[in-house]
Amino acid sequence: MKKKSAFNFGKSFQQMKGFKFYHIIIYCLLGVIMFGLMYSNVKPDEINVSIFSNAEKTIVAPHNFEDREATAMLRREAADGVEDQYRHDREKVIQQAERVHKVFDVVEEVQEEIQTIEKPPEQTTTEEADESQEEQVAEPVALTDEEKLSLLKENLVGQVTDDWKKAISDEDYMMLLKMNKAELTTLRNATVTAINNAMSKKIRLEDDVKAAKNDAVQEMQVYGNLPMNVRNIGISLANLAIIPNVIYDSELTQDLRRQAEDTVEPVRISQGDTIVKAGQFVDREKFRILEAAGLVNQSNSITPYIGLAIIISLMVTALAYLFRGIDTSIHSKNTYLTMYLLVFSITLLLLKIFSLFQTLNATEIGFIAPVAMGAMLIKMLIDDRIAIISGIIFGICGSLIFNTVPGAMNYTVGAYLIISAIASVLFLNQHNRRLTILQTGLFVSLINVITVIAMMLLTNRDLSGVSQWLEIGTHSTMAIGSGVVSAVLTIGILPFFEVGFGMLSTMKLLELSNPNHPLLRKILMETPGTYHHSVMVANLSESACEAVGANGLLARVASYYHDIGKTRRPHYFIENQMGRSNPHDKLPPQTSRNIIVAHATDGAQILREHNMPKEIVDIAAEHHGTTLLKFFYHKAKEKNEEMTEEEYRYPGPKATTKEAAIVGTADSIEAAVRSLNNPTPDKIESIVKAIISDRLQDGQYSDCSLTFKELETVGKSFCETLQGIFHSRIEYPDATKKKGDDE
């Protein structure tokens, strides 16, 4: 009953693998498993903290972040420390001097106008007097001081401001009008010079204005060629003209304040920094930092899960891309995906289990994680490229699984896991014995120790203390354990995949090549000639496959079993007759044909009954393809001219892999060469070329991927191997004859 249930489960599983969207289901399962195992590593800690209370536990920063409020406060302080900026407006002195010039210009213009009005009429001749005797002669007009002052003030309108007009007394105006041009020019120059000299300095405050005016007064007083009352007019004008010449520069002030703000470094809180210690009072400042870190009211935050989902999606997408180009000549892509899902899940689960022993004081427990196990299994069962990419994915997942703060990544452990996994893939290039896996584990241990020491040296640690050397020793021990444990687990887990999925790994092939295998012993005991023939075919096939990049070990092992069908009727095959009469001499050609052809199908059936790998079964069934039994065909043709070749051909199928094609060719070549009485290199080469050419023309290579170039390489390999087997030997004298000669 149990056997039936197991059979039904296996049948159901095979049907499920044939489902159209099976690969999508596997990718989704990969994502779900990764998310489920890393969910707790990104889930924010539940922190019950409130302002003006004592913290229940020590709270550390979950990630690097900037304290924006503290940074803004420091920048405001830096900007406030920059004083208002002022600039010396040199155009002020020009403007004020121009006003003084306008006063003197107006005075000179009014003087000219007064002269024109008061100018006496010119003397005329007698003739002119006679002609204009009827006209009245204009009398000269003398203007009063009030009229002159009024005329001056009218002309000053629009030239100077009212405060200037009011600041100069009428007496000063009249004094200016009575001065000659030279005196006005001297006073003008003295006043403008005093203003220029006084305003060449920065004048900002009221005290600065007073000082500048005093300087102008002192300078005016040195002009001794001007009367005191005249100099006072210049002093009055200078006092009016001297004003503040420093103005507020808002643009410069803002630039300097921005520069001061830029010099302030942002206040950053590093991941792992302690924000509040257990039992410490949480004041406003501490609570504000907790809010900035996102530790307050974070139970409803979904951003960590979104980030995790995105990372997982990228990794699954990369795997899907790699699996698109995987070789499916041996197993289907769905079979490989199923194995990958199991290996990946086991590896990730082991990482998660080891992370449970992690504490804040021993964060490097990840150094013992056997990540190389997953990489080696994927390489041996699936593909090298996928194994390397998987090593990188293991490292990324490990950096999250072995983190100390939710959502953070432990880059040290992540890099260590990547190096460890890739090292195992690169070293495991010839896994022909179980011992090689152990050697790979030791090599990975060495690489792990070197990596751990390098990472510790990168942190610039002081290695003079005993504790530091003790730490190095502890980490190195874990690194060695990682490699050894990975190798042991790989050897232990690999057989389950080989049996469960019918995988033909190298170790499985080596086990099948053991002479003590029941089927090989059956061949040896029942068909010794066939056994010897199979060994010769194995030698030929292995070297030829390796020459064209095919699986030489598979070809060798398949050659051992390819003629096992002959064990059902061993004496009907010439290599097993051992001097006996040939039974085919007494049989009709059709019966002989049936017996000979049946050994391929019988062999495949026997191998299937013993649960042999599909690759070996296929080679046993395909090694003759649809070739013609020429001897019996021609024998039948002699009796019946209407006999067709199709009746005397093997049922096939043709070889679908390089290994099957090479084993079939080697089978024919070995039998042909063995039939030669004196096989010379030329004869061997001639037979090899003839058989390969005959099979090529017969279309026996049409279903496999062998190229013409590879067929040429295969032929050369066959010739070299056969010449080594059938090389010429030294002819030793007969032992009896030698004894007689000695006597």
Side-chain angles (χ1 to χ4, degrees), residues 90-318:
R90 300 187 181 278
E91 294 184 357
K92 290 289 184 182
V93 65
I94 298 174
Q95 295 173 357
Q96 297 304 96
E98 186 64 26
R99 288 185 175 185
V100 173
H101 281 299
K102 287 182 179 180
V103 172
F104 284 97
D105 290 341
V106 171
V107 169
E108 291 178 351
E109 291 173 359
V110 170
Q111 285 181 339
E112 291 177 358
E113 187 176 350
I114 291 172
Q115 289 178 2
T116 302
I117 295 173
E118 292 182 342
K119 181 179 180 181
E122 296 180 355
Q123 296 295 326
T124 59
T125 61
T126 305
E127 292 81 5
E128 292 173 346
D130 294 337
E131 293 175 359
S132 58
Q133 58 182 345
E134 295 180 357
E135 296 180 0
Q136 294 182 353
V137 178
E139 295 292 332
V141 177
L143 298 177
T144 64
D145 290 344
E146 288 76 9
E147 291 175 336
K148 293 178 180 179
L149 183 60
S150 176
L151 182 61
L152 177 59
K153 288 183 178 182
E154 289 177 0
N155 286 318
L156 285 173
V157 174
Q159 300 297 321
V160 294
T161 58
D162 292 339
D163 57 334
W164 276 55
K165 290 191 294 184
K166 295 177 181 178
I168 302 175
S169 64
D170 293 343
E171 291 79 7
D172 291 339
Y173 280 135
M174 288 307 301
M175 188 177 297
L176 288 173
L177 289 173
K178 294 176 180 179
M179 293 172 63
N180 57 39
K181 190 170 184 179
E183 291 175 338
L184 285 173
T185 302
T186 302
L187 181 60
R188 180 203 292 254
N189 293 336
T191 304
V192 172
T193 301
I195 294 170
N196 284 332
N197 292 336
M199 294 187 69
S200 62
K201 302 175 183 179
K202 293 182 179 180
I203 304 173
R204 175 185 170 193
L205 304 176
E206 187 65 29
D207 292 341
D208 298 334
V209 176
K210 291 180 180 180
K213 290 181 178 180
N214 291 334
D215 292 340
V217 171
Q218 292 177 4
E219 187 172 348
M220 290 294 295
Q221 290 176 351
V222 302
Y223 286 91
N225 56 344
L226 291 175
M228 189 61 197
N229 55 351
V230 174
R231 278 181 282 175
N232 288 336
I233 297 175
I235 291 172
S236 299
L237 290 173
N239 288 334
L240 286 172
I242 294 174
I243 60 174
N245 58 4
V246 174
I247 61 175
Y248 174 69
D249 193 336
S250 61
E251 184 176 352
L252 179 60
T253 302
Q254 294 301 321
D255 288 343
L256 292 177
R257 287 177 177 170
R258 279 194 295 269
Q259 292 176 11
E261 290 177 352
D262 292 339
T263 58
V264 176
E265 293 292 333
V267 179
R268 298 188 181 277
I269 308 297
S270 300
Q271 176 186 328
D273 287 353
T274 301
I275 300 177
V276 180
K277 293 182 179 180
Q280 187 177 5
F281 182 74
V282 181
D283 55 13
R284 291 185 183 276
E285 180 65 14
K286 294 291 184 183
F287 192 77
R288 185 187 60 76
I289 297 176
L290 290 173
E291 286 183 322
L295 297 173
V296 178
N297 298 325
Q298 61 176 345
S299 58
N300 296 326
S301 177
I302 63 171
T303 53
Y305 310 119
I306 295 175
L308 178 61
I310 292 173
I311 292 177
I312 291 174
S313 300
L314 292 175
M315 293 188 290
V316 172
T317 302

Side-chain angles (χ1 to χ4, degrees), residues 431-432 504-510 513 541-542 545-546 550-560 616 659:
H431 41 283
N432 294 331
L504 191 60
S505 66
T506 301
M507 288 191 297
K508 180 66 174 178
L509 287 172
L510 291 172
S513 66
S541 302
E542 183 178 34
C545 284
E546 290 178 349
N551 192 333
L553 183 58
L554 171 61
R556 167 173 285 279
V557 177
S559 298
Y560 291 155
I616 294 178
E659 291 82 5

Side-chain angles (χ1 to χ4, degrees), residues 414-430:
Y416 166 84
L417 295 178
I418 291 174
I419 294 172
S420 179
I422 293 179
S424 67
V425 175
L426 296 179
F427 186 79
L428 194 66
N429 52 1
Q430 293 293 334

Side-chain angles (χ1 to χ4, degrees), residues 286-420:
K286 294 291 184 183
F287 192 77
R288 185 187 60 76
I289 297 176
L290 290 173
E291 286 183 322
L295 297 173
V296 178
N297 298 325
Q298 61 176 345
S299 58
N300 296 326
S301 177
I302 63 171
T303 53
Y305 310 119
I306 295 175
L308 178 61
I310 292 173
I311 292 177
I312 291 174
S313 300
L314 292 175
M315 293 188 290
V316 172
T317 302
L319 290 173
Y321 177 80
L322 289 174
F323 272 102
R324 284 182 59 189
I326 196 170
D327 182 15
T328 57
S329 60
I330 298 176
H331 294 282
S332 66
K333 185 172 75 171
N334 288 344
T335 299
Y336 286 124
L337 279 171
T338 305
M339 285 191 296
Y340 185 85
L341 175 66
L342 293 176
V343 173
F344 190 92
S345 302
I346 292 171
T347 306
L348 214 61
L349 184 61
L350 287 174
L351 294 182
K352 187 67 176 180
I353 292 173
F354 277 97
S355 71
L356 299 178
F357 299 95
Q358 181 174 250
T359 63
L360 291 176
N361 297 325
T363 56
E364 294 79 5
I365 191 68
F367 290 157
I368 200 174
V371 69
M373 176 208 69
M376 287 192 287
L377 284 173
I378 293 172
K379 173 171 182 174
M380 288 188 289
L381 297 173
I382 304 175
D383 181 70
D384 290 18
R385 287 197 314 159
I386 295 176
I388 291 177
I389 298 302
S390 298
I392 297 174
I393 293 175
F394 289 146
I396 296 172
C397 294
S399 65
L400 277 171
I401 291 175
F402 289 98
N403 62 9
T404 56
V405 178
M409 300 185 76
N410 191 334
Y411 296 105
T412 301
V413 173
Y416 166 84
L417 295 178
I418 291 174
I419 294 172
S420 179

